[in-house]
Amino acid sequence: MSAREPSDLLSLVPPQVQRTAVVLLHGLCSTPDELLTVQSALRSRGYPVHPLSIEGYSFDAAAPLQRAAPYERWLDAIQVHVKALRAQHDRVMLVGISAGASLALGAAIRCGSDVDALVLMSTTLRFDGWAIPRTQFLLPLAFYTPLGRFWQYRERPPYGVKNERVRAWIERELRHRKVSRAGSSVIGVGHLREHDRLIRHVRRNLNGVQCGNVLALHAQQDEVASVANLDILARGLRCRDFRTVVVANSYHMITIDNDRQQVVRETVSFADAVAHGTTPEHPLYA
């Protein structure tokens, strides 16, 4: 029996899935590799998936120095992409992890009804995880005064990962490269300042998110942002259907850690529900 042609496989994909575009938004100064597990699963089911690299936000391997653009330009880039997708598809869903979740929220505020659904992973609207140092309150001095001109954040263990084998792999990656699947080895003050401005904008305008369906996935042991970030979302969002899933055996980077398969399953189930206008097979806390 001969293998099916790609056109034959496409004919087996429900039209609702083909008309539901998914935009993937990775973390700050990182790459789309953070969401490869999600990207592969959604594409295998026939979803048109668009992992975005954004100038002045994403890590640029060709640049000797990573320069940040104002967060408004990050949102501009997503808005242009969303509008182009709306011209070809019935629905657009944004999937973001860490700072990418903040981007997804900011884009939903900006784009209004052009965004139909959000998947927010490891949402970081407040840095209050167990590994955040007590000196965190001093960061605005670095962000907004000349004191921070020469400061930068250097990634260190546990790299957002509980799985020791994955963590060792990330360490090996960072010895030879400036970036790994968990993000850049160093993040400059410019990117951090713009992310801080984005967070402030999103928290002020959460009730401006118009899309009716939001899924938030978070790790119980997130070392960067505690599950209290889900409470911020629950209080601020006015969406019709807000569901949360808290995974038990990961840190911040849930797409590459111990619970990554659960994260993929929940995301795909949610995407299917959005595409078909149904309730997920396994109802989540709402």
Side-chain angles (χ1 to χ4, degrees):
M1 184 171 64
S2 61
R4 289 182 182 270
E5 293 294 325
S7 57
D8 294 333
L9 294 175
L10 187 62
S11 68
L12 300 176
V13 177
Q16 299 95 323
V17 168
Q18 297 180 41
R19 296 198 298 266
T20 302
V22 182
V23 178
L24 302 183
L25 301 168
H26 59 76
L28 184 67
C29 201
S30 189
T31 72
D33 285 357
E34 289 182 346
L35 290 162
L36 273 179
T37 53
V38 175
Q39 175 182 322
S40 298
L42 289 170
R43 278 190 172 156
S44 71
R45 291 181 71 87
Y47 286 96
V49 182
H50 302 263
L52 286 197
S53 290
I54 300 171
E55 184 177 357
Y57 172 81
S58 303
F59 182 85
D60 182 356
L65 185 65
Q66 304 299 311
R67 297 188 182 278
Y71 85 85
E72 293 91 347
R73 281 171 50 190
W74 304 347
L75 298 182
D76 289 344
I78 301 171
Q79 184 176 26
V80 167
H81 204 76
V82 167
K83 284 193 173 297
L85 290 174
R86 289 298 300 198
Q88 301 175 355
H89 300 84
D90 294 342
R91 291 163 295 276
V92 175
M93 184 172 84
L94 306 183
V95 179
I97 186 168
S98 191
S102 302
L103 267 185
L105 288 163
I109 293 165
R110 173 80 72 86
C111 297
S113 60
D114 282 347
V115 173
D116 298 276
L118 301 174
V119 179
L120 308 173
M121 301 176 177
S122 306
T123 305
T124 309
L125 296 178
R126 185 169 69 196
F127 289 88
D128 58 354
W130 56 263
I132 297 299
R134 295 179 180 178
T135 54
Q136 174 75 12
F137 73 96
L138 295 174
L139 281 180
L141 291 175
F143 294 165
Y144 300 107
T145 75
L147 293 175
R149 283 181 299 174
F150 306 107
W151 180 81
Q152 58 187 6
Y153 171 79
R154 184 169 296 277
E155 190 64 80
R156 58 186 183 276
Y159 307 110
V161 176
K162 185 177 183 181
N163 185 294
E164 292 184 2
R165 186 174 64 176
V166 176
R167 192 187 307 166
W169 172 66
I170 290 170
E171 288 180 337
R172 289 194 298 271
E173 286 261 287
L174 293 180
R175 288 194 199 106
H176 305 289
R177 304 171 58 209
K178 294 180 180 179
V179 67
S180 75
R181 284 277 293 276
S184 176
S185 60
V186 172
I187 303 178
V189 70
H191 283 86
L192 294 169
R193 179 180 59 249
E194 293 308 314
H195 182 220
D196 184 68
R197 293 183 61 227
L198 172 63
I199 289 172
R200 292 169 187 264
H201 167 72
V202 167
R203 291 191 61 164
R204 285 194 305 268
N205 297 282
L206 264 180
N207 61 3
V209 175
Q210 295 183 29
C211 66
N213 300 284
V214 177
L215 169 65
L217 300 121
H218 212 93
Q220 182 68 52
Q221 302 175 62
D222 192 317
E223 86 283 11
V224 174
S226 80
V227 292
N229 279 270
L230 298 179
D231 296 330
I232 297 174
L233 294 174
R235 290 194 303 268
L237 292 173
R238 298 291 181 266
C239 55
R240 178 183 66 254
D241 187 359
F242 173 59
R243 295 188 174 93
T244 67
V245 174
V246 177
V247 299
N249 196 30
S250 295
Y251 291 163
H252 190 63
M253 296 305 300
I254 58 177
T255 53
I256 62 173
D257 210 348
N258 293 319
D259 298 299
R260 57 190 177 275
Q261 294 305 322
Q262 180 184 356
V263 168
V264 168
R265 288 195 303 271
E266 300 286 3
T267 302
V268 170
S269 176
F270 180 77
D272 289 346
V274 170
H276 295 279
T278 60
T279 301
E281 293 181 13
H282 305 288
L284 312 175
Y285 170 76

